[in-house]
Amino acid sequence: MENRLKAWCAGISDQVTAGTTTVVEGAPGTGKTAALDDLAARWEAGGRHVVRARGSALDCDLPFGIVAQLFDTIDPGQPADFAVLHRVYRLATTLAGTTGLLIVVDDAHWADAASLRWFAYLALRVQGLPIALVLTVGTDERCDDPSYGEIMAVCRRVVLDNLTASDTADLLAAALGAPPAPEFVAECQTVTRGNPLLTTRLIAALAEDGVPPTAETAWRVTQRGAEVSGEVVVARLRRRPAAVVTVAHCTAVLGPAPHPGVLAELTGLSPVELAEAVRTVELLGVTGPAVLDDMPAGPRAALHLRAAQSLRAHGASDRVVAEQLLETSPGLEPWAGEVLDRAAQEAVNRGDTPLAARLLWRALREPVANPSRALRLLGVAELVGNLPGATARLREALQSDVDDVESAVALSYALHADGKPAELTAVLRSTGSPWAQAHLAMHGLAWQEAVPSTVSLDTPAGVLHHVMVGDISTADAVRRLSTDSAMSSLASAMTLNLADQLDEALAVLDEVDRAQAPALRALTCVMRANVQRRKGDLLSARAELTLADDHLRQDRRWHAVSTWQAALLADVLLEEGRLDEADVLIAEASTEDARRTWSYGGLLTVRGRILTARGEDREALESFLAAGRHCEAWPYRNPAPLAWRSGAALAYAAVGDGELARRFADEEVALARVWGAPRALGMALRAAGRVTAGTAGRTLLEEAVRVLRTSPARLELARALVDLGVVMRRQGDTTAARACLREALDLSQKCGSAAMAARAHSELVATGFAPRRMRQTGPTALTPTEHQIAALAARGRSNEEIAAMLLMPADTVEGVLCGTYRKLGVSGRLQLAEALDVGGSDPIGR
């Protein structure tokens, strides 16, 4: 800064000579005053006279106020007529004598009109006199006086700008005694924007704190920079008129881009006064915390209360009003408790635990607050944020109002997270509420102790329970669904998934608010992955499971969800031929907590399939039977969610027990026919066909293929086609076998199942046919992210919607789609559905 200032001063000194008028322009902090100090010192060192003055917003209406600062013999308040102007002019020429006179005025944009008129008078006559006139003005500061225009017309202008990164680096090296890291310099530039005053003060503060200029300490720059900037801004603000100070205070309270009506109401200024004051505040770069900290506590709290009242009157959201109420005392408004309560509920739904807790603690201090509701919301916020004390808080909420069903439901999920299914069951059953029973049915999908003895069909959760039990048909179940709440949507999506209405299930899940707690976001991703896996879209399934894992890392208590996620991921790895990775994943996921949940049956079933793929049939059989024994604790017999029986049937056949193989296969076929969804029935028929010899077996496999053609489960169709093709080949029907196997190969490659594609390929070779090379383009050439974005676009989602769902910029989505179009050989998103073989549907009730 010192070298830069010397350069500025040298440049100004070269221009400031006798007989000239110079105007130095610069933003606050760019060194205008420092340049004047140096210039005055140079003139005085040469034995010449120097007179100085400084403009101020507080006395800009006093005639000749600035001139009176320059010449003590002039009284302020005189009229600016010719006689007075000329008398002051003669006084200046007399003072200049033969040695010279330097007249410097800082912040001349605040000069009174009479003083400006005299400066213009002098500027028009100074040429040839031993007088130099130097004025400084702020960049973008307005001065509408005509005299100011005359001065600017005859002056020389010197513009001071900000420091460059190189300048800042030099200053840092000189002050801190070491070459600064680029990251450290960049942070200084960001914080100060190169403003010389802020930079020098920041560097002085960093040097005082002993902060080394390294990349690791760059965060200290941000912290210290905010403090330094605040001090400078507050100091500048104190010199401004009352209107500017008022607007700065109100802007600090309301935040950036305040509502115009609210700002006008709080300030009480006229539109013209308000506009000018707002412009000045923006020019100063006023920051909220520093300005608020400079206000006394009482007036600050009163301003927050007025802001809350005005914002509420202008229709602001509960959250915005509540943030103002947080800074006030309780009991001042009868509606405050309700606003804080609603804002807290919104914060809980968004997963913003810290804000929810602050709002709820404040709500509890309101005299008309509902303690039970506030305690419940606070407990939910702590549950969502994985904070200690959530269960105790929710127990307290329920004890304060034993009839509060919402508190009972919230407590049940805290007990679920704590792994206490017996207690959560008792809590929900004690309410006698149908809504609580619906939640109990959802808990029963994880814990055997939570399965209700009787469940009505009045809610989607109740419908899902009966679907799992297997005593309701597909058509009847789908007819009873609704999506009037998050729980209803999730239960309906599960039922639609089991009913083979996969696109409808995805449409419902797309509408579930993803700005929720990590556990709910994880569950939504796992459910989407399950749907995609059933469709045979392994790439999209893997992408969803990766997202789910990210959410589950934030909260490991939801064992049923994490076990389900592991089972699905292991299944995808199996299809990709990565058996060892799948085996390791299952071993890691098979914890004691996982073994208590329904989802553990899925892990055992996938493990059985892995062992079957390795040819370890007896071990595979034991794994399938273990899955059956595990599931016997639940009343769920529908094979649609977990088809362990068909796996056991194939394993029994492999070890030579045909009778038990057929018994398990026939049982699954019978149960699947009751349910009526084609995927479950087709899978059961395929298993029955494989364990049945001769023509009867082929007939069952042909039926399996026919049934699966009516289902979107493409990978299961490919599996059935391979098995039918093998039987046809063995029976000598080579032509039909090749047709089945070619179709199976194409489907397997589209789905991304390397294992199934390899089997179809080898069986096709066994028919004596030389198949084409394995697919290298098309859907299988896409990355998981490309496939996920393309699938959402194919279902009608806009770039903005996809970006919001996947938490990425919209232009990134567009870039990914452009690359996807090239890989798929299509011209735009209208062709994506056909290229990816996906469909779309509206959610229930639309």
Side-chain angles (χ1 to χ4, degrees):
M1 177 61 187
E2 184 177 348
N3 292 335
R4 182 67 179 271
L5 180 58
K6 288 180 179 178
W8 284 339
C9 294
I12 294 171
S13 297
D14 290 343
Q15 297 186 48
V16 178
T17 57
T20 63
T21 299
T22 305
V23 173
V24 181
E25 296 182 28
T30 50
K32 301 186 299 297
T33 302
L36 292 186
D37 291 342
D38 183 85
L39 181 60
R42 291 169 185 255
W43 275 65
E44 289 175 339
R48 291 172 287 185
H49 292 291
V50 177
V51 292
R52 299 188 63 168
R54 184 175 187 180
S56 169
L58 302 179
D59 56 8
C60 59
D61 294 329
L62 180 64
F64 284 114
I66 300 298
V67 171
Q69 292 184 45
L70 297 170
F71 308 107
D72 292 338
T73 59
I74 302 298
D75 294 327
Q78 300 183 51
D81 56 24
F82 177 80
V84 175
L85 295 175
H86 191 70
R87 187 167 68 250
V88 178
Y89 169 74
R90 293 296 300 272
L91 176 61
T93 57
T94 301
L95 187 60
T98 58
T99 58
L101 172 66
L102 173 66
I103 302 174
V104 292
V105 180
D106 207 357
D107 291 336
H109 49 272
W110 279 333
D112 58 275
S115 294
L116 283 173
R117 188 173 182 187
W118 184 79
F119 296 146
Y121 186 92
L122 175 63
L124 294 172
R125 294 164 175 78
V126 75
Q127 188 171 3
L129 295 176
I131 299 175
L133 174 62
V134 181
L135 311 175
T136 71
V137 297
T139 302
D140 295 329
E141 292 281 6
R142 291 179 57 182
C143 186
D144 299 325
D145 193 287
S147 299
Y148 182 78
E150 289 197 23
I151 296 171
M152 296 302 292
V154 298
C155 73
R156 293 175 178 175
R157 296 174 62 193
V158 177
V159 179
L160 305 181
D161 53 12
N162 287 329
L163 298 171
T164 65
S166 177
D167 295 328
T168 301
D170 292 342
L171 290 172
L172 286 166
L176 302 182
E183 296 85 353
F184 198 91
V185 176
E187 198 62 34
C188 287
Q189 284 291 102
T190 300
V191 169
T192 66
R193 298 179 183 176
N195 184 279
L197 176 62
L198 289 179
T199 302
T200 52
R201 295 222 179 154
L202 173 60
I203 292 174
L206 294 171
E208 182 180 344
D209 293 346
V211 178
T214 64
E216 292 73 22
T217 59
W219 65 273
R220 296 283 300 277
V221 174
T222 305
Q223 180 186 46
R224 227 27 186 111
E227 298 171 3
V228 170
S229 298
E231 293 168 1
V232 171
V233 165
V234 168
R236 290 174 186 161
L237 184 62
R238 288 171 178 167
R239 299 182 58 232
R240 296 287 174 159
V244 174
V245 175
T246 298
V247 169
H249 288 166
C250 294
T251 303
V253 164
L254 295 173
H259 186 290
V262 174
L263 184 60
E265 185 174 314
L266 292 186
T267 60
L269 299 175
S270 69
V272 174
E273 291 174 320
L274 180 60
E276 182 62 26
V278 167
R279 193 190 72 83
T280 303
V281 167
E282 292 174 348
L283 179 65
L284 288 174
V286 169
T287 56
V291 174
L292 290 179
D293 290 344
D294 194 51
M295 293 180 66
R300 184 171 67 242
L303 182 57
H304 278 292
L305 179 60
R306 289 176 52 219
Q309 295 165 337
S310 181
L311 286 165
R312 183 169 181 264
H314 283 81
S317 68
D318 290 328
R319 178 182 62 81
V320 172
V321 177
E323 287 176 348
Q324 298 295 334
L325 291 173
L326 285 173
E327 307 301 328
T328 66
S329 300
L332 299 177
E333 288 289 354
W335 44 262
E338 296 178 4
V339 170
L340 290 162
D341 190 274
R342 290 194 299 268
Q345 178 68 73
E346 180 188 346
V348 170
N349 292 341
R350 292 198 317 271
D352 189 347
T353 304
L355 177 60
R358 288 182 63 209
L359 291 168
L360 290 165
W361 279 119
R362 176 64 176 76
L364 285 170
R365 298 171 61 198
E366 288 295 327
V368 294
N370 182 337
S372 175
R373 176 176 167 80
L375 285 168
R376 168 168 50 80
L377 289 176
L378 183 56
V380 170
E382 292 170 336
L383 173 63
V384 167
N386 195 11
L387 300 176
T391 304
R393 192 94 56 207
L394 291 168
R395 280 201 184 98
E396 184 181 355
L398 185 59
Q399 289 167 0
S400 66
D401 185 356
V402 294
D403 295 325
D404 184 4
V405 178
E406 292 187 19
S407 292
V409 169
L411 176 57
S412 75
Y413 284 96
L415 293 168
H416 185 123
D418 292 341
K420 298 179 179 179
E423 187 176 350
L424 78 84
T425 302
V427 167
L428 290 177
R429 285 177 177 168
S430 66
T431 67
S433 164
W435 190 55
Q437 287 297 105
H439 281 274
L440 186 58
M442 295 298 285
H443 287 298
L445 298 177
W447 306 100
Q448 180 271 330
E449 297 94 329
V451 177
S453 55
T454 59
V455 183
S456 72
L457 290 166
D458 296 336
T459 64
V463 172
L464 177 60
H465 171 83
H466 285 275
V467 167
M468 297 290 290
V469 170
D471 60 2
I472 188 174
S473 68
T474 303
D476 192 21
V478 172
R479 178 176 59 82
R480 295 173 179 270
L481 300 179
S482 66
T483 55
D484 54 358
S485 66
M487 186 191 72
S488 295
S489 294
L490 294 175
S492 295
M494 289 184 187
T495 299
L496 290 168
N497 184 24
L498 297 176
D500 274 12
Q501 297 190 20
L502 304 184
D503 290 322
E504 291 81 354
L506 285 175
V508 171
L509 292 171
D510 284 348
E511 298 303 316
V512 174
D513 184 7
R514 294 198 173 196
Q516 298 277 358
L520 184 57
R521 294 199 297 270
L523 176 59
T524 305
C525 289
V526 170
M527 290 176 62
R528 289 177 57 83
N530 192 27
V531 177
Q532 301 286 19
R533 165 63 183 85
R534 287 171 176 261
K535 290 183 70 172
D537 188 352
L538 301 182
L539 284 169
S540 292
R542 173 183 273 281
E544 293 288 351
L545 292 169
T546 300
L547 285 175
D549 189 54
D550 292 339
H551 297 314
L552 287 169
R553 282 200 209 97
Q554 302 177 48
D555 193 344
R556 292 289 189 186
R557 298 171 296 170
W558 307 92
H559 305 296
V561 180
S562 58
T563 305
W564 192 8
Q565 187 264 352
L568 288 172
L569 183 55
D571 185 67
V572 171
L573 291 171
L574 168 62
E575 294 294 344
E576 294 174 349
R578 299 158 67 179
L579 304 186
D580 292 341
E581 293 178 54
D583 221 358
V584 170
L585 176 62
I586 289 175
E588 292 176 348
S590 298
T591 63
E592 286 303 314
D593 291 316
R595 294 173 192 273
R596 298 173 59 199
T597 67
W598 160 263
S599 308
Y600 183 62
L603 276 179
L604 292 171
T605 302
V606 177
R607 183 172 182 273
R609 294 184 58 220
I610 294 172
L611 293 167
T612 297
R614 286 179 169 156
E616 300 175 19
D617 298 314
R618 293 194 179 278
E619 291 81 358
L621 175 60
E622 177 51 38
S623 189
F624 286 121
L625 293 177
R629 291 192 297 272
H630 176 79
C631 294
E632 283 177 358
W634 282 262
Y636 307 147
R637 290 174 53 78
N638 188 342
L642 190 60
W644 64 269
R645 294 176 186 83
S646 56
L650 296 177
Y652 268 123
V655 299
D657 194 335
E659 182 178 350
L660 282 177
R662 287 186 292 276
R663 193 188 86 184
F664 274 88
D666 291 344
E667 181 181 357
E668 185 161 305
V669 169
L671 292 170
R673 289 193 190 279
V674 172
W675 171 231
R679 178 181 181 273
L681 179 56
M683 291 172 62
L685 288 168
R686 169 182 165 265
R690 285 193 58 179
V691 301
T692 303
T695 303
R698 174 171 174 170
T699 300
L700 287 168
L701 287 170
E702 288 172 340
E703 183 182 359
V705 169
R706 286 196 304 272
V707 169
L708 287 168
R709 287 195 187 281
T710 67
S711 166
R714 298 172 298 167
L715 190 54
E716 301 309 325
L717 174 58
R719 228 183 294 279
L721 284 167
V722 171
D723 289 337
L724 178 58
V726 170
V727 170
M728 287 175 170
R729 176 177 61 80
R730 291 173 180 171
Q731 292 180 352
D733 192 351
T734 305
T735 302
R738 287 175 179 170
C740 285
L741 293 169
R742 279 198 299 267
E743 183 180 359
L745 176 59
D746 187 60
L747 282 172
S748 301
Q749 290 180 319
K750 285 182 177 179
C751 292
S753 176
M756 183 53 57
R759 182 174 176 229
H761 187 274
S762 63
E763 293 293 347
L764 195 52
V765 171
T767 65
F769 178 75
R772 63 182 182 276
R773 296 178 62 187
M774 299 289 277
R775 180 188 297 270
Q776 298 297 323
T777 60
T780 54
L782 302 179
T783 66
T785 299
E786 288 172 336
H787 201 281
Q788 186 180 31
I789 290 174
L792 288 170
R795 295 203 302 277
R797 294 284 165 176
S798 67
N799 289 357
E800 290 72 19
E801 290 174 320
I802 296 172
M805 293 173 68
L806 302 183
L807 304 179
M808 61 174 59
D811 54 355
T812 300
V813 173
E814 180 60 29
V816 171
L817 283 174
C818 289
T820 302
Y821 298 152
R822 290 191 295 271
K823 288 186 178 182
L824 295 177
V826 300
S827 59
R829 65 199 304 140
L830 294 178
Q831 298 170 292
L832 282 175
E834 182 179 355
L836 296 174
D837 193 19
V838 301
S841 178
D842 288 333
I844 299 169
R846 282 192 168 189

